[in-house]
């Protein structure tokens, strides 16, 4: 006797589009003899199953426990419904259905199956650079709208040939409903051209081995590539990109090549080969250092390495090359270049050849960058492979927009317990970057289906993001929430770790606008999302000339020396800071005495800058963080512990404290006079800062009774300092939390702004005080 049929309607939310979920549902229906249908909607995936009770139960179990590897189910509902008597199971056409609950999938590195086809001379996709399937390929960078179907991607203009169509419609094929599916007969085409647009008659192998620089159109934008072992090509690229010293990212053909030039732990390898394929910052092997041009990473002991993440990249290595420089093609801090015409126009003075194609990039997205600190992953830049995945937070938020910082900008859209951070936009004082930011906000709002009811922004009155927030609030009649920079950092790390209670915080960065009008940057805070108290900070010093002191670290060293040591500091500055002429020393003395063009700062970044200058490591900063990064590399070379330069804790205000840096400068000057090795000085500096942080946290912990501490701010990209601080605090019995899902630098600020902005708004509505 045939079992009576029952029916269920199942809705599945999360990353369930563009990851092979509908084919997976289809196969489950075939396995358990179920009829009905499945479809994509803007809410996720909806399934109607009819069959025996036991069969549906087993299918449901597999649905939630054995999803496709790229899927991420965040929720589901199951409702009993009336059977319709379907005779088969089929995939319905997608449709929009109310608020978006589906997660937009990020781009995914090429899978092993597709790579085998690209490398197989007998396969119809041999050497085809746009090979993909449901397990890999472009997603976020080609999506225009949801639900995710080919018609709302930049693949819409390419009509599938009969063979690709058969794959697309075959439930047993791994390209079943793979939206970017294509082949050489029907898909995007690749061309190698000269700067004037003519087709090149040479092969990729020939031009790269001849030392050429190639502009390569990738997933999220153009890169500039050259043979990393060709010193002349690397020097030409550095001159052409107007990039004097900032390290270049490298792409290695395989793990063997990575291991030849870098130390590689199991955790680091795990991220290198992951579907996201980020750039991983690795320690360089000293024994093979001479094989690489020094111009790749001047004065550093790390290399940013990634593996090929598209079939196109694998073609670059097909000629036997093992290592390429692969750097973003944006010039002088401008946005990513995504269009062929723009690349030919703007890069013709840099690139010898252009590797172009006709698949459009809808959403520009830079490479993600990260490192393993201790044994935990930490982002430097969160972008391709991760954006626009949300961060789940411990509080429910109003639909809101957090505009982010001015530097290393990301913005965030939030609703419920999810915060969606955008890709990286860089410095918004660049007009072109700001325009890209303005274009991206409404596009992301539409894609995610979030209509903000609140706008959060940094409280700095001069930021572009503040101006944008105020403009949007006027246009759409929305309330504003101004968020202090370092409170946002603290909240970001809290949310990153799912914390929802008062904590201690150490925030160390370069610049953040303080409510007192000074520039904060070495802060000891405690509080939660709704409030904070500034318990302590580095003793303030003058920032002479604003940005000039950041670009010329000698000026910062002068300020620290004179503030700490008075007239003796002026003598030491004249001796040890060769970048300052006699005339400039006179001008600086007048500036500090009369307070001309001066603002006070407690910045940890400026402390590092000044120390690097006094040690003779960096007198002119040609990229952000140059001096501190080079000093960290020197400190690691010191090896064993050599003592520390002290930062003294002393009372300030009613119940606060400051870290007095005068003892540090006293001892640093003495070591310079004694001609102590610069590596030892750098090591002592790192240990001194770490101990100063420990002392400040211990005082806060004793006075507040709190034992959980979050570390945030760009200074904690310093691997050595972060490991030292974490170790010291954990040995004191404190629980230390670091960033895991967003960067500690300003790229994670928008996450914290979302949480704090929501609390500011709720407090204003209720009329309560923190």
């Amino acid at each position: 006797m045939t079992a009576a049929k029952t029916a269920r309607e199942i809705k599945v939310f999360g990353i369930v589009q563009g990851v092979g979920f509908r084919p997976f549902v289809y196969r489950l229906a075939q396995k358990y003899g179920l009829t009905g249908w499945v479809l994509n909607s803007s809410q996720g995936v909806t399934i109607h199953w009819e069959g025996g009770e036991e069969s549906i139960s087993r299918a449901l179990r597999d649905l939630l426990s054995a999803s496709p590897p790229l899927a991420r189910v965040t929720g589901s509902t199951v409702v009993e419904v009336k059977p319709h008597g379907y005779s088969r199971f089929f995939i319905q056409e997608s449709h929009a259905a109310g608020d978006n609950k589906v997660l937009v999938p990020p781009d995914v590195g090429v899978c092993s199956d597709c790579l085998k086809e690209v490398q197989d001379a007998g396969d119809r996709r041999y050497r085809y650079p746009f090979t993909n399937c449901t397990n890999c390929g472009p997603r976020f960078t080609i999506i225009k709208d949801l639900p995710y179907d080919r018609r709302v991607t930049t693949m819409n203009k390419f009509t599938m040939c009969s063979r690709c169509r058969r794959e697309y419609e075959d439930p047993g094929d791994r390209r079943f409903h793979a939206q970017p599916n294509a082949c050489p007969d029907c898909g995007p085409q690749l061309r190698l051209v000269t700067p004037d647009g003519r087709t090149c008659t040479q092969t990729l192998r020939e031009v790269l081995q001849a030392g050429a620089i190639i502009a390569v159109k990738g997933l999220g934008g153009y890169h500039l590539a050259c043979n990393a072992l060709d010193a002349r090509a690397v020097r030409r690229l550095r001159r052409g990109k107007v990039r004097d010293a900032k390290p270049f990212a490298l792409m290695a053909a395989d793990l063997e090549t990575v291991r030849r030039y870098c130390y590689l732990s199991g955790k680091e390898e795990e991220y290198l080969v992951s579907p996201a394929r980020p750039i991983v910052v690795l320690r360089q092997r000293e024994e093979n250092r001479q094989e690489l041009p020094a111009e790749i990473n001047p004065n550093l002991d790390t290399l940013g390495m990634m593996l090929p993440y598209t079939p196109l990249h694998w073609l670059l290595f097909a000629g036997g090359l093992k290592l390429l420089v692969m750097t973003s093609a944006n010039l002088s801090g401008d946005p990513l270049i995504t269009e062929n015409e723009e690349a030919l126009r703007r890069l013709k003075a840099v690139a010898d050849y252009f590797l172009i194609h006709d698949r459009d990039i809808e959403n520009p997205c830079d490479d993600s960058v990260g490192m393993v600190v201790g044994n935990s992953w930490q982002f430097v830049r969160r972008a391709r492979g991760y954006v626009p995945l949300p961060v789940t937070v411990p509080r429910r938020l109003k639909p809101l927009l957090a505009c982010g910082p001015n530097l290393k900008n990301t913005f965030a859209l939030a609703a419920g317990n999810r915060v969606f951070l955008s890709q990286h936009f860089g410095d918004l004082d660049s007009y072109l970057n700001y325009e890209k930011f303005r274009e991206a906000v409404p596009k992301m709002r539409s894609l995610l289906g979030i209509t903000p009811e609140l706008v959060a922004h940094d409280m700095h009155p001069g930021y572009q993001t503040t101006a944008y927030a105020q403009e949007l609030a006027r246009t759409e009649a929305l309330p504003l929430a101004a968020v202090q920079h370092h409170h946002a950092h603290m909240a970001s790390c809290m949310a990153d770790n799912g914390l929802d209670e008062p904590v201690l915080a150490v925030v160390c960065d370069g610049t953040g606008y303080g409510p007192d009008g000074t520039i904060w940057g070495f802060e000891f805070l405690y509080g939660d999302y709704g409030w904070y108290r500034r318990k302590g900070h580095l003793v303030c010093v003058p920032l002479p000339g604003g940005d000039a002191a950041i670009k010329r670290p000698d000026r910062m060293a002068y300020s620290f020396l004179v503030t700490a040591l008075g007239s003796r500091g002026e003598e030491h500055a004249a001796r040890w800071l060769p970048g300052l002429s006699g005339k400039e020393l006179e001008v600086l003395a007048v500036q500090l005495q009369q307070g001309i063009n001066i603002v006070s700062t407690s910045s940890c970044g400026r402390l590092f800058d000044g120390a690097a200058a006094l040690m003779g490591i960096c007198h002119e900063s040609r990229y952000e963080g140059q001096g501190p990064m080079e000093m960290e590399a020197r400190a690691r070379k010191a090896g064993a512990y050599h003592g520390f330069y002290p930062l003294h804790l002393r009372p300030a205000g009613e119940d606060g404290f400051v870290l007095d840096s005068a003892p540090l400068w006293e001892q640093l000057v003495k070591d310079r006079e004694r001609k102590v090795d610069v590596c030892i000085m750098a090591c002592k500096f790192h240990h001194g800062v770490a101990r100063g942080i420990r002392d400040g946290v211990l005082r806060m912990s004793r006075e507040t009774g709190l034992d959980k501490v979050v570390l945030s701010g760009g200074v904690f990209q310093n691997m050595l300092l972060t490991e030292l601080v974490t170790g010291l605090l954990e040995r004191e019995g404190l629980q230390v939390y670091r960033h895991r899902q967003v960067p500690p630098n300003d790229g994670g600020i928008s996450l914290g702004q979302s949480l704090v902005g929501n609390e500011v708004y709720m407090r204003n509505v209720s009329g309560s005080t923190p």
Side-chain angles (χ1 to χ4, degrees):
M1 185 175 177
T2 305
K5 272 195 173 185
T6 187
R8 298 287 189 280
E9 183 174 284
I10 305 107
K11 292 185 178 180
V12 187
F13 313 118
I15 303 177
V16 289
Q17 296 183 16
V19 293
F21 205 88
R22 287 180 298 174
F24 166 65
V25 172
Y26 186 99
R27 288 190 291 272
L28 287 179
Q30 301 302 304
K31 178 179 178 180
Y32 292 108
L34 305 176
T35 61
W37 48 261
V38 61
L39 64 81
N40 276 349
S41 76
S42 53
Q43 291 190 322
V45 168
T46 301
I47 306 161
H48 180 95
W49 269 335
E50 296 185 3
E53 190 72 47
E54 181 66 19
S55 296
I56 291 179
S57 295
R58 290 180 178 179
L60 277 170
R61 180 195 60 208
D62 289 358
L63 180 76
L64 300 177
S65 65
S67 298
L70 297 179
R72 183 189 295 180
V73 176
T74 60
S76 62
T77 61
V78 181
V79 179
E80 185 172 357
V81 294
K82 182 180 179 180
H84 287 267
Y86 293 110
S87 60
R88 63 187 180 91
F89 191 84
F90 59 97
I91 295 179
Q92 282 202 43
E93 187 173 335
S94 303
H95 68 268
D99 294 337
N100 287 357
K101 292 186 180 179
V102 66
L103 299 182
V104 179
D107 299 288
V108 183
V110 60
C111 69
S112 57
D113 290 329
C114 285
L115 191 57
K116 286 177 185 175
E117 294 172 340
V118 174
Q119 296 172 338
D120 181 359
D123 193 278
R124 75 187 188 94
R125 289 187 173 86
Y126 176 56
R127 295 180 62 82
Y128 183 58
F130 307 99
T131 300
N132 67 86
C133 67
T134 55
N135 298 319
C136 69
R139 299 293 192 272
F140 172 66
T141 52
I142 63 171
I143 286 176
K144 297 180 178 181
D145 200 358
L146 291 175
Y148 176 61
D149 275 317
R150 191 182 184 100
R151 61 186 172 78
V152 290
T153 73
T154 59
M155 285 297 294
N156 185 44
K157 65 181 180 181
F158 301 101
T159 302
M160 279 185 276
C161 65
S162 58
R163 286 190 289 181
C164 284
R165 175 60 64 180
R166 281 197 297 272
E167 294 170 335
Y168 183 86
E169 295 175 348
D170 179 3
D173 196 288
R174 78 175 197 281
R175 293 191 170 92
F176 183 44
H177 279 251
Q179 304 306 330
N181 189 28
C183 75
D185 295 333
C186 65
Q189 299 298 310
L190 187 70
R191 288 198 305 145
L192 182 64
V193 302
T194 59
D196 59 6
R198 290 181 292 119
T199 299
C200 179
T201 57
Q202 296 173 281
T203 65
L204 276 172
R205 174 185 178 181
E206 289 170 341
V207 298
L208 284 169
Q209 289 186 333
I213 296 169
I214 303 180
V216 180
K217 187 177 183 180
L219 269 183
Y222 268 86
H223 288 92
L224 288 167
C226 70
N227 181 358
L229 302 182
D230 186 332
R232 180 174 173 272
V234 175
R235 284 194 295 270
R236 285 182 56 228
L237 177 55
R238 195 167 279 291
R239 286 196 303 270
K241 199 177 176 187
V242 195
R243 189 170 181 168
D244 292 339
K246 192 174 182 179
F248 283 137
L250 301 177
M251 180 176 280
D254 47 42
L255 285 172
E256 180 183 355
T257 304
V258 175
R259 292 192 186 98
R260 178 170 184 81
Y261 298 107
C262 298
Y263 297 101
L264 186 64
S265 69
K267 179 67 73 172
E268 289 165 335
E269 180 177 334
E270 176 186 325
Y271 278 91
L272 264 180
V273 303
S274 69
R277 296 287 171 90
I279 297 169
V280 181
V281 179
L282 303 170
R283 288 283 308 281
Q284 186 172 5
R285 286 187 178 276
E286 197 63 35
E287 64 267 28
N288 294 325
R289 189 179 183 93
Q290 297 305 314
E291 294 181 21
L292 297 179
E295 291 85 357
I296 288 175
N297 61 334
N299 301 316
L300 299 179
D301 65 343
T302 55
L303 291 169
M305 285 277 193
M306 60 179 156
L307 294 173
Y309 54 86
T310 70
L312 185 153
H313 293 136
W314 287 99
L315 295 181
L316 296 174
F317 292 101
L321 291 173
K322 289 295 185 181
L323 196 64
L324 295 173
V325 171
M326 191 67 70
T327 183
S328 298
N330 52 318
L331 302 177
S332 303
D334 285 344
L336 289 171
I337 295 174
T338 59
E339 298 180 1
N340 297 336
E341 295 77 12
E342 182 187 9
L344 289 166
R345 183 178 72 255
R346 300 192 64 199
L347 301 176
K348 61 184 178 183
V350 185
D352 303 304
Y353 300 95
F354 293 76
L355 196 57
I356 66 175
H357 61 75
D358 52 352
R359 186 180 70 201
D360 295 334
I361 298 170
E362 179 67 18
N363 300 300
C365 200
D366 215 333
D367 294 315
S368 292
V369 184
M371 61 183 75
V372 174
V373 182
N375 198 40
S376 301
W377 177 253
Q378 180 172 287
F379 279 105
V380 174
R381 180 172 65 214
R382 181 182 185 268
R384 177 189 52 76
Y386 300 94
V387 171
L389 297 180
V391 176
T392 302
V393 298
R395 293 194 182 183
R396 295 196 64 80
L397 310 180
K398 289 180 65 64
L400 63 84
L401 167 68
C403 295
N406 226 46
L407 294 173
K408 293 184 173 63
N409 177 268
T410 67
F411 63 85
L413 286 159
N417 67 342
R418 299 191 300 191
V419 180
F420 299 84
L421 275 70
S422 73
Q423 65 269 49
H424 175 85
F425 290 98
D427 181 0
L428 295 193
D429 280 334
S430 160
Y431 172 77
L432 294 176
N433 285 340
Y434 183 53
E435 285 301 298
K436 291 294 183 184
F437 164 87
R438 291 179 64 94
E439 291 171 10
V441 171
K443 185 181 292 187
M444 192 74 87
R445 285 174 58 169
S446 174
L447 196 58
L448 298 174
I450 295 176
T451 302
E453 299 175 13
L454 166 69
V455 185
H457 64 92
D458 194 285
M459 65 166 47
H460 194 300
Y463 276 4
Q464 298 286 3
T465 48
T466 300
Y468 179 82
Q470 292 168 345
E471 176 190 343
L472 187 66
R474 285 193 303 269
T475 303
E476 301 188 16
L478 298 173
L480 283 169
V483 179
Q484 200 280 325
H485 189 87
H486 299 92
H487 189 196
H489 266 303
M490 179 181 84
S492 177
C493 194
M494 289 174 62
D496 201 340
N497 289 278
L499 297 173
D500 192 9
E501 61 190 281
V503 299
L504 307 173
V506 182
V507 183
C508 292
D509 63 1
T511 301
Y513 185 78
D516 58 0
T518 64
I519 302 300
W520 291 12
F522 196 147
E523 308 305 316
F524 294 87
L525 312 175
Y526 71 99
D528 64 15
Y529 300 119
W531 62 276
Y532 76 96
R533 297 289 181 271
R534 188 192 196 195
K535 192 67 176 174
H537 57 87
L538 182 70
V539 68
C540 287
V541 298
L543 184 69
D547 286 347
I550 298 173
K551 296 173 182 175
R552 304 266 316 284
D554 280 1
R555 296 171 69 95
M556 208 62 241
Y558 176 90
S559 180
F560 275 110
L561 286 170
V562 172
T563 301
L565 308 178
S567 59
R568 288 190 300 118
E570 292 181 348
E571 295 169 6
H572 293 309
R575 180 180 181 186
W576 300 114
L577 302 176
L580 299 178
S581 66
K583 182 65 176 176
E584 190 169 5
L585 286 169
E586 291 176 12
V587 171
L588 285 171
V590 172
Q591 272 190 284
L592 265 63
Q593 289 166 9
Q594 299 183 13
I596 301 171
N597 194 20
I598 291 289
V599 63
S600 291
T601 183
S602 59
S603 167
C604 187
R606 303 294 77 81
L607 179 72
F608 271 78
D609 285 344
L614 185 56
M615 292 178 200
I617 293 172
C618 181
H619 296 290
E620 181 182 358
S621 185
R622 291 174 287 179
Y623 62 88
E624 185 188 7
Q626 180 180 356
M629 288 172 66
E630 292 182 3
M631 182 164 57
E632 180 189 3
R634 301 290 182 90
R636 272 194 287 264
K637 287 183 180 179
Y641 175 67
H642 296 277
F644 64 94
Y645 298 136
L647 288 167
H648 284 175
L649 209 68
R650 58 179 174 82
E654 291 185 8
D655 60 351
F657 62 86
V658 293
L659 282 183
D660 186 355
S661 63
L664 179 152
W665 297 105
E666 284 271 13
Q667 294 199 20
L668 179 50
V669 165
K670 287 179 181 177
D671 277 356
R672 282 239 61 180
E673 291 173 336
R674 289 170 20 218
K675 298 182 180 180
V676 171
D677 183 271
V678 66
C679 296
I680 292 176
M681 289 191 291
C683 184
K684 292 172 72 173
F685 177 84
H686 278 77
H687 279 273
V689 173
R691 286 169 178 262
I693 290 173
R694 178 202 61 188
D695 294 345
V697 171
L698 286 177
R699 172 165 173 163
M700 283 200 298
S701 181
R702 285 193 300 268
E703 295 181 0
T704 64
L706 301 174
D707 65 355
K708 293 181 179 179
V709 56
V710 298
L711 306 179
S712 191
V715 170
F716 286 112
Q717 289 174 186
N718 183 313
M719 287 187 276
L720 175 59
L721 179 70
T722 303
E723 289 171 350
L724 288 173
V725 170
T726 301
L728 287 171
L729 293 177
E730 288 181 342
R731 282 195 287 276
E732 297 290 344
L734 295 164
Q735 300 179 60
V736 182
Y737 296 87
R738 298 189 284 107
H739 286 274
R740 303 173 299 120
Q741 303 176 79
V742 302
N745 61 42
D746 281 8
I749 281 279
S750 57
L751 173 61
Q753 285 179 352
S754 300
L755 275 294
V756 177
N758 185 76
E759 294 303 306
V760 169
Y761 172 79
M762 298 304 291
R763 185 168 67 243
N764 290 341
V765 168
S766 67
S768 62
T769 56

